Amino acid sequence: MRLLLLFCLALLASGSFSVEQKIGLVPEVTIAYQVLEVFPRSRRVLITCHSPQGTPPIAYSLWGSQDIEVARKVVKKHTPASFSINVTLKSRPDLLTYTCQAATSSGPRGASTTLQMYWELWAKPVSQLQTNFTLLDRGSGPRVEMSCRASLGSPPITYSLVGPDGHVHLQQRPHYGQPANFSFLLTETPRWFQCQAQNDINVQSSPLTLVPPGQLPRGPTFVLAASLTSIAAIASGMLGRTTWTRL
């Protein structure tokens, strides 16, 4: 009876093992690119897909935006699959996204992260820089929170909190589209600050702002908004307007 029980357990173990082999784990798939040729409105790009844990043969497929299959290739060795494509500049960044999928005969299909090629291939200068100052009176003492964001510009964009002498007090490099947020204690002596946004093409600076700007209104929280225009507007003397608003 005991031998029969052991035999049944062995059958169940082998059965579950075979199911795990058939199901398998979702393979990791990486995607990378390299620019081969540069043209005025397009780029010749080599996109590489690789599934290191996959068992050959591996069927790779390259997918563009709107779930359009661009190319397909079967690799019989542990080597990446390469796709040479011509990428044309589009009006919207989301129209230039690519992903790789990898499938094997003994496992499920895996997919890579999305490769966004718009900003990487067509660089744009930093512009439309906007800054907001928030003065907070909390238990640890009055603080200043400064938000700085450029509406346009190719990543990566580095934001800096700069004094009138050019000294960089704080620096951040947030994800694209996200503002940089600086926080510092408010001193009794007013000080001048400005935000600088810089990428590989240019640097844009906000006007110097006095913090705090004279007599502060009473209340726990106030917002100082400095909305800036483009570099051309700043050069012509059109500085951002500063206003106080009680929350």
Side-chain angles (χ1 to χ4, degrees):
M1 186 67 179
R2 185 173 182 179
L3 291 176
L4 181 59
L5 179 59
L6 292 175
F7 179 72
C8 293
L9 291 175
L11 286 178
L12 290 175
S14 61
S16 62
F17 179 73
S18 62
V19 169
E20 290 178 359
Q21 278 189 321
K22 290 179 182 180
I23 296 177
L25 299 176
V26 176
E28 178 188 1
V29 183
T30 61
I31 185 171
Y33 79 97
Q34 178 185 0
V35 179
L36 301 179
E37 293 183 87
V38 177
F39 304 101
R41 298 286 296 180
S42 65
R43 304 288 189 269
R44 194 67 182 171
V45 178
L46 184 69
I47 298 180
T48 303
C49 306
H50 191 208
S51 179
Q53 289 81 25
T55 303
I58 303 175
Y60 291 96
S61 55
L62 180 65
W63 293 79
S65 58
Q66 301 175 352
D67 294 330
I68 298 176
E69 187 176 22
V70 178
R72 180 186 293 265
K73 182 178 292 187
V74 177
V75 177
K76 298 181 179 180
K77 298 181 180 180
H78 284 285
T79 55
S82 299
F83 303 96
S84 180
I85 62 173
N86 187 55
V87 179
T88 305
L89 178 60
K90 306 292 183 183
S91 58
R92 301 204 327 255
D94 60 299
L95 296 178
L96 280 177
T97 57
Y98 293 90
T99 57
C100 281
Q101 292 186 4
T104 63
S105 58
S106 60
R109 182 184 301 270
S112 69
T113 57
T114 300
L115 175 64
Q116 173 61 264
M117 304 194 69
Y118 181 86
W119 297 111
E120 287 86 345
L121 299 183
W122 284 272
K124 290 183 176 293
V126 172
S127 62
Q128 298 183 16
L129 182 62
Q130 296 180 344
T131 59
N132 292 281
F133 290 85
T134 304
L135 278 76
L136 305 174
D137 189 5
R138 295 174 176 171
S140 58
R143 298 187 64 86
V144 178
E145 292 184 357
M146 178 183 180
S147 175
C148 186
R149 178 180 178 269
S151 299
L152 298 176
S154 303
I157 300 177
T158 301
Y159 296 91
S160 303
L161 179 66
V162 184
D165 57 353
H167 175 71
V168 177
H169 296 275
L170 298 169
Q171 196 170 72
Q172 289 183 12
R173 183 179 288 181
H175 293 293
Y176 179 73
Q178 299 297 318
N181 296 303
F182 303 111
S183 179
F184 52 94
L185 287 173
L186 187 64
T187 60
E188 295 182 359
T189 304
R191 292 185 296 173
W192 293 91
F193 292 101
Q194 67 179 168
C195 177
Q196 283 188 355
Q198 179 178 4
N199 63 3
D200 293 334
I201 304 173
N202 72 323
V203 180
Q204 187 179 19
S205 301
S206 69
L208 284 167
T209 302
L210 186 63
V211 180
Q215 183 67 32
L216 297 180
R218 294 182 179 180
T221 305
F222 301 92
V223 175
L224 168 63
S227 299
L228 294 101
T229 56
S230 61
I231 300 177
I234 294 176
S236 63
M238 295 176 58
L239 298 181
R241 186 178 62 182
T242 300
T243 57
W244 285 92
T245 304
R246 176 175 295 190
L247 298 180

